[in-house]
Amino acid sequence: MKVTQPFIQKIVIVGGGTAGWMAAATLGNIFKDSKDVEIELVESDEIGIIGVGEATIPPLITILEKLGIDLVDFIQNTQATFKLGIEFADWKALQHSYFHPFGTLGASIDGHDFYQCWFRTTQTDNTSELMDHSPEAQLAKLNRFFVPHQCINTPLAKTKFALHLDSALAGQYLRRFAEERGVKRTVGTVEHAISPNKQIISHITLSDGRKISADFFIDCTGFKGVLIEQSLNAGYEDWSDFLPCNKAVTVQTENTDTIRPYTLATAREAGWTWNIPLQHRTGNGYVYCDKFISDEQAMDTLFGCIEGKPINQPRVIPFSTGLRKQPWKGNCLSLGLAQGFLEPLESTAIHLVSRSLQLFVRMFPTKTPNGLLIDEFNRRLKQDYEEIRDFLILHYCTTERTDTEFWRWCQQMPLPESLKNKIDFFSLSGGIIPSVEELFQPTSWYSVFDGMGVRPQCANPTVNALDADKLALSLRAGSNAIRDAALKQPEHKHFIREYCQAEAPDKLM
Ligand code: FAD
């Protein structure tokens, strides 16, 4: 078919936070050998970046690989540590905790889903903990990390991991990467995005009077959405009825002796706190709902639970959970905080930036906006957000806590139909059937269901054909093999020292 539409020749990205530089790195890499497409990133030196966003999930590793970025170099330049999953403390009940690992749990047996087989063994005296079958959970429990070349042909071979990183340093790293691939950086504050018809942006004007035109704009200006909202009025779908936390207070601390290879998320009186160890410091924050506690109370709670000495001033960040009604409108795509926000309980924001970029590249437009591509992009992105939203709600709505008003509210909270269906389906069938491109695969759902004490009504009748005692013995052998392999691995801290220790922060660019 002959293409008659004119191609995009110039893309302007506004905003130099993680989202902006991820977009610049991705598109800069794609067009590095093209003389026809120019990419310019405009960032303000008056408006700072959000400066949080330190926990990631495994797709980040794939993205770095695709960009050809050396993992060790990235880790050393971003003060990163490894993350095998998340420990959720006090969510089901006080003094109770569970682990949500990356990777998979066990392997299917005679075509039966592993979870079903394990559930069958809970009817015997020889059952095991579900997490005994996760390499990531066992490594995390032992505070170990793995040496990949020593783990080939062991039960740890498929261990999945992500990183805890310094988001400001990650932005700088991606900036260098993008600039090396021809992305032009302009410093300036956008005052207006000019769109006479509220559909197409013709150009932006900077506070010093400069005008910048482009065929396509990417709005990475943070919560304000200077282009997508202030100029194009794309609208915002608010989900705070489902996820009421609307503020976070954050503070950084000196590291303590242990560097956990996982994120710690502890439920508190009106939300939850995070603890994210990096090589040079630890990030801490309390995500809360201000209808239940004040900012001062939140700050007191945060300071009451941090482990090391604070090294910066605490900061309160308000947010509103939801998604732009039209994340891509006309010739403008929004990314990062300008696109939407889901609380960082499962560390999904940076992933959503790269997922948006993947979708965008698959639907790359020509100069004339095409409604079909835009609608498909917006529909798929909404599905992604809804899937993550539902998974986040699951952590709250299954609580047994009644000790504060917030947790009592969670027990009665409204649920989206999509989540209700998933919970009912699991309860009846003991299974989860995800769509192909869903981020959270069954392991994630099983981990949270099990951690929160939600079990199916009965095992799937087909697994009754298996001998439960033999099955339990075989599962036990599998979990022992994982544990033996995990015990041979170094402590997380020692692994980092050996393989990817970063320089002291003042020596980094
Ligand atoms: P920002 O970092 O705010 O960058 C905005 C950029 O736009 C800046 O460069 C600014 O100078 C520029 N700008 C703004 N206005 C203008 C203008 N008028 N003209 C020119 N430039 C302008 N994500 C995770 O993946 N994991 C986490 O653990 C995590 N934790 C989080 C915790 C909290 C409390 C919050 C609020 C977010 C968290 N996130 C997390 C989300 C993550 O921080 C963001 O998705 C990520 O940093 C991307 O931010 P951004 O680039 O969209 O915006």
Side-chain angles (χ1 to χ4, degrees):
M1 197 177 74
K2 200 170 162 218
V3 179
T4 50
Q5 302 271 1
F7 291 113
I8 282 178
Q9 286 165 317
K10 179 156 184 192
I11 300 174
V12 164
I13 301 165
V14 185
T18 318
W21 283 114
M22 266 185 101
T26 306
L27 297 175
N29 195 47
I30 290 173
F31 292 111
K32 60 180 181 296
D33 297 323
S34 163
K35 299 210 175 358
D36 301 326
V37 182
E38 186 191 341
I39 302 170
E40 181 171 355
L41 184 144
V42 180
E43 67 176 320
S44 168
D45 55 0
E46 295 161 357
I47 305 165
I49 60 167
I50 191 103
V52 280
E54 299 175 330
T56 65
I57 50 178
L60 175 79
I61 307 297
T62 316
I63 289 154
L64 296 177
E65 270 168 20
K66 278 191 183 155
L67 289 174
I69 290 176
D70 177 66
L71 185 61
V72 170
D73 188 52
F74 186 76
I75 290 172
Q76 288 172 332
N77 281 280
T78 57
Q79 297 283 343
T81 64
F82 294 94
K83 173 179 171 188
L84 294 159
I86 305 174
E87 180 183 341
F88 289 95
D90 296 344
W91 284 78
K92 174 174 181 263
L94 290 167
Q95 314 299 327
H96 172 274
S97 78
Y98 69 94
F99 198 75
H100 170 198
F102 301 136
T104 50
L105 285 165
S108 66
I109 298 171
D110 291 346
H112 298 285
D113 185 51
F114 177 81
Y115 178 83
Q116 302 273 358
C117 298
W118 171 81
F119 185 60
R120 170 93 166 105
T121 68
T122 60
Q123 295 150 359
T124 72
D125 296 333
N126 198 13
T127 190
S128 47
E129 296 288 327
L130 185 59
M131 283 309 131
D132 292 348
H133 305 281
S134 155
E136 294 83 2
Q138 293 238 36
L139 283 162
K141 199 167 160 188
L142 295 164
N143 193 15
R144 308 277 170 121
F145 198 70
F146 72 112
V147 183
H149 66 263
Q150 284 177 10
C151 294
I152 300 163
N153 297 329
T154 78
L156 303 182
K158 290 191 179 149
T159 301
K160 284 215 168 149
F161 65 88
L163 302 176
H164 296 133
L165 47 78
D166 181 319
S167 61
L169 295 177
Q172 286 171 31
Y173 189 98
L174 292 172
R175 172 183 157 191
R176 288 195 293 277
F177 179 92
E179 287 185 312
E180 279 162 19
R181 279 149 189 82
V183 173
K184 177 181 167 196
R185 173 175 177 260
T186 299
V187 176
T189 302
V190 174
E191 222 162 50
H192 298 292
I194 308 303
S195 172
N197 60 2
K198 298 278 172 214
Q199 293 295 332
I200 302 288
I201 295 174
S202 55
H203 61 278
I204 50 177
T205 58
L206 306 188
S207 53
D208 59 9
R210 278 176 292 168
K211 281 185 187 175
I212 302 177
S213 310
D215 301 318
F216 199 88
F217 292 85
I218 303 189
D219 185 348
C220 302
T221 56
F223 286 125
K224 283 177 301 201
V226 174
L227 283 70
I228 194 79
E229 198 54 57
Q230 293 180 359
S231 172
L232 293 179
N233 305 130
Y236 198 72
E237 191 170 325
D238 188 305
W239 288 338
S240 49
D241 282 352
F242 296 129
L243 287 167
C245 288
N246 57 357
K247 280 186 178 166
V249 54
T250 66
V251 72
Q252 298 169 356
T253 50
E254 284 176 359
N255 274 350
T256 54
D257 193 41
T258 311
I259 299 187
R260 297 183 188 96
Y262 56 90
T263 303
L264 176 61
T266 308
R268 303 287 173 187
E269 64 274 49
W272 58 279
T273 55
W274 77 74
N275 174 286
I276 299 177
L278 309 181
Q279 290 196 37
H280 61 327
R281 62 164 174 80
T282 295
N284 310 271
Y286 184 6
V287 172
Y288 59 98
C289 174
D290 68 1
K291 287 197 192 108
F292 296 90
I293 52 163
S294 64
D295 295 349
E296 291 69 31
Q297 283 171 303
M299 226 173 280
D300 286 348
T301 301
L302 182 63
F303 275 83
C305 69
I306 51 179
E307 290 164 354
K309 201 171 136 207
I311 52 174
N312 70 347
Q313 287 301 314
R315 192 159 60 108
V316 174
I317 305 171
F319 57 79
S320 133
T321 295
L323 171 65
R324 289 265 167 252
K325 286 185 178 151
Q326 290 168 283
W328 176 355
K329 184 171 179 188
N331 65 341
C332 177
L333 170 74
S334 58
L335 287 180
L337 302 172
Q339 179 184 76
F341 189 77
L342 291 165
E343 61 183 70
L345 187 57
E346 286 284 353
S347 327
T348 43
I350 294 173
H351 164 75
L352 280 166
V353 174
S354 62
R355 167 76 177 154
S356 301
L357 283 163
Q358 271 170 18
L359 283 176
F360 178 67
V361 168
R362 271 150 78 178
M363 299 175 198
F364 202 78
T366 53
K367 264 189 196 176
T368 319
N370 182 314
L372 191 76
L373 298 183
I374 295 174
D375 291 349
E376 184 59 10
F377 176 94
N378 288 341
R379 187 184 70 78
R380 281 182 182 261
L381 191 73
K382 188 168 182 207
Q383 266 178 4
D384 290 342
Y385 267 76
E386 284 176 344
E387 182 224 324
I388 297 171
R389 176 200 67 189
D390 287 2
F391 188 57
L392 298 185
I393 299 171
L394 183 72
H395 297 65
Y396 288 98
C397 70
T398 47
T399 186
E400 293 170 13
R401 283 183 65 162
T402 52
D403 55 305
T404 67
E405 207 190 331
F406 176 81
W407 292 104
R408 287 191 290 278
W409 178 88
C410 288
Q411 293 198 352
Q412 311 292 327
M413 68 195 289
L415 299 185
E417 279 305 308
S418 44
L419 176 60
K420 265 194 225 159
N421 289 342
K422 240 176 184 147
I423 295 174
D424 290 348
F425 183 86
F426 173 73
S427 173
L428 284 171
S429 73
I432 291 287
I433 304 181
S435 305
V436 182
E437 293 202 10
E438 276 185 15
L439 174 64
F440 292 110
Q441 291 294 307
T443 295
S444 295
W445 287 85
Y446 293 145
S447 304
V448 177
F449 275 133
D450 191 66
M452 296 303 285
V454 181
R455 294 258 171 107
Q457 288 168 7
C458 59
N460 183 303
T462 59
V463 291
N464 289 332
L466 300 170
D467 180 318
D469 289 311
K470 273 196 199 152
L471 192 58
L473 284 175
S474 134
L475 294 200
R476 177 73 67 193
S479 65
N480 286 344
I482 297 178
R483 190 180 156 79
D484 291 347
L487 278 168
K488 290 189 187 127
Q489 304 310 315
E491 224 186 276
H492 180 220
K493 193 167 68 176
H494 296 152
F495 178 87
I496 291 174
R497 195 181 305 151
E498 185 77 13
Y499 290 91
C500 48
Q501 173 117 41
E503 295 242 28
D506 51 0
K507 296 211 177 122
L508 290 170
M509 274 186 62

